[in-house]
Amino acid sequence: MANGLDDVVAAETVLSDVDGLGGRLTIRGHSLPELAGRWSYAQVVQLLLDGFFDDLPGDVELAARLGQARSEVFERLRPMLPSLLSVDIYSAMRAGMALLPDGETLADALRLIAAPAVLTPALLRLRRGEQPLAPDARADHAGDMLRMLNGTVASPALTKALDTYLVTVCDHGLNASTFATRVVASTQAGLTSAVLAGLGALKGPLHGGAPGPVIEMLDAIAAHGDAASWLRDEIVHGERIMGFGHRIYRVRDPRADVLKAVVRQLGGEGDTGNRLAFAEKVEQAALDVLRAAKPERSIQTNVEFYTALLLEAAGFPTDAFSNVFAAGRAAGWVAHAREQQTTGRLIRPQSRYVGPMPDLVA
Ligand code: COA
């Protein structure tokens, strides 16, 4: 029995397919390159939720409803935000989301999807001593998130970059957080409880917690000066190289190429361009070191490597990178929760007991 449930099919889904050998991600019949950079996040939310709510509107109306949901989240949770800041920024966001009603309506779903995009900038502003900015319900979702963070309207290029990121990470098969979400949804708990399970799983560095450490790694390598020797040393000490490897992909994660292209478009001669040039060298060194250290595995670049560069360029601090991941993945979690609930079947696997048995008393 595999401890990590490798190759176990635990759900049937119409939502997404991860082809680990072909390096392809399909979302509801569309390939990732068809969606990323072409569809807005609101359109992809509509695509993912299609069929799971009787009152789901078309994509234009859905974008407006998502804006309204951002405003509702802000109004409901604004008074509580200062008290959440005693913990890290991800846990603070999660604590705020836990205060949303545990319902099943489309309005509940949209508030959960909107919440990370509202709470993250608000909490970051409070942490640096600034007042949170209210959402603009009519604005584009990604653009509004950036305005609420920085206080100024972001450039079309940066808005597009963040929107493309949110679309790129919106859903990804039965990853750890989506599985956790489906387990809780299968108990017929409400959508907030299900999404909170996903949030807990996403936090770990083996899942959504990797992009912050990617920046720390790039900075450490820049200070050290020799990428290959720094990376080899990490492997010798049993550390994992952040931004590389995947349970399903045996080839390069297709999301890495999408996000690298986005960073390149943002890049130019400035800081982002220099960061990208350096990161590309580190990437090549890491692939070489990993190939030499684990010749039996195919350990390739994953989504988190270029995520780190993109979110750094967008102005998010490293400890909020997973919050932004959650802002994209929330749509997938809600859709999977609804899909699981429609099966009506509790997820309840078995364990094999390998501990001691009680002494038999005669
Ligand atoms: N750095 C160093 N070694 C790695 C590695 C990495 N990034 N990724 C996998 N490996 C090694 C493991 O140590 C293990 O080696 P061992 O068999 O000698 O103990 C082996 O490769 C396991 O490979 P595999 O089964 O393909 O990976 P996994 O499913 O156990 O792990 C991850 C998948 C994502 C957890 C893993 O690749 C990882 O920890 N990556 C770094 C964190 C990261 O980027 N997470 C974001 C994922 S999108």
Side-chain angles (χ1 to χ4, degrees):
M1 183 192 72
N3 278 331
L5 301 181
D6 310 33
D7 302 324
V8 172
V9 175
E12 286 193 345
T13 184
V14 298
L15 293 168
S16 61
D17 180 55
V18 180
D19 173 358
L21 294 178
R24 276 184 293 269
L25 169 59
T26 302
I27 297 171
R28 292 205 103 162
H30 300 272
S31 71
L32 176 64
E34 259 180 82
L35 298 177
R38 294 163 191 244
W39 289 43
S40 71
Y41 184 62
Q43 286 176 308
V44 169
V45 170
Q46 208 270 347
L47 176 72
L48 285 169
L49 299 189
D50 188 23
F52 295 119
F53 294 93
D54 292 341
D55 54 344
L56 191 74
D59 58 356
V60 175
E61 170 70 13
L62 196 279
R65 294 280 302 273
L66 192 59
Q68 195 185 328
R70 287 196 303 278
S71 297
E72 287 167 15
V73 169
F74 188 81
E75 278 158 31
R76 271 172 194 256
L77 300 180
R78 169 71 186 90
M80 276 76 100
L81 296 184
S83 66
L84 303 179
L85 274 176
S86 57
V87 288
D88 63 89
I89 209 78
Y90 188 88
S91 304
M93 174 192 75
R94 186 178 55 188
M97 289 175 71
L99 298 170
L100 292 171
D102 214 357
E104 294 293 349
T105 66
L106 177 61
D108 294 313
L110 292 178
R111 275 192 293 268
L112 282 164
I113 294 169
V118 175
L119 294 177
T120 303
L123 289 162
L124 288 171
R125 286 183 74 87
L126 275 174
R127 190 171 71 173
R128 52 184 203 231
E130 296 167 0
Q131 284 303 310
L133 296 175
D136 173 358
R138 290 155 308 160
D140 161 84
H141 191 67
D144 207 24
M145 188 175 184
L146 288 169
R147 184 193 53 81
M148 287 188 279
L149 178 70
N150 298 319
T152 51
V153 174
S155 69
L158 196 54
T159 302
K160 176 94 175 165
L162 183 60
D163 194 51
T164 303
Y165 170 74
L166 297 177
V167 168
T168 300
V169 301
C170 71
D171 198 41
H172 200 243
L174 204 58
N175 56 84
S177 60
T178 299
F179 183 51
T181 300
R182 288 189 76 123
V183 169
V184 173
S186 83
T187 71
Q188 304 293 344
L191 287 174
T192 299
S193 295
V195 166
L196 284 175
L199 282 167
L202 189 75
K203 189 178 184 215
L206 300 192
H207 189 9
V214 166
I215 294 293
E216 286 157 24
M217 172 178 80
L218 291 176
D219 288 342
I221 292 174
H224 179 273
D226 181 343
S229 96
W230 189 94
L231 291 159
R232 267 195 299 273
D233 206 42
E234 288 288 294
I235 301 272
V236 166
H237 288 95
E239 301 293 339
R240 292 189 174 204
I241 309 300
M242 291 292 134
F244 296 86
H246 200 271
R247 176 61 60 82
I248 307 288
Y249 290 121
R250 288 292 156 255
V251 295
R252 198 177 162 81
D253 183 333
R255 299 169 298 174
D257 285 328
V258 168
L259 298 182
K260 182 174 174 178
V262 172
V263 176
R264 191 179 296 292
Q265 277 163 13
L266 285 178
E269 301 293 311
D271 288 350
T272 305
N274 294 337
R275 188 63 131 171
L276 177 61
F278 180 67
E280 283 180 299
K281 287 193 188 119
V282 171
E283 181 187 15
Q284 195 48 57
L287 292 172
D288 293 344
V289 166
L290 286 164
R291 197 177 310 112
K294 312 268 175 194
E296 71 292 352
R297 291 270 159 193
S298 175
I299 302 176
Q300 303 292 329
T301 316
N302 68 41
V303 62
E304 308 291 19
F305 193 73
Y306 288 104
T307 288
L309 270 67
L310 196 159
L311 298 185
E312 184 183 54
F316 290 98
T318 50
D319 64 345
F321 284 3
S322 304
N323 296 47
V324 191
F325 193 160
R329 184 55 58 83
W333 288 334
V334 168
H336 274 275
R338 295 291 293 187
E339 188 179 52
Q340 181 62 41
Q341 284 167 344
T342 60
T343 70
R345 186 81 180 153
L346 176 72
I347 296 178
R348 203 303 185 190
Q350 293 203 38
S351 51
R352 180 178 299 125
Y353 180 67
V354 295
M357 297 303 282
D359 290 336
L360 291 179
V361 181

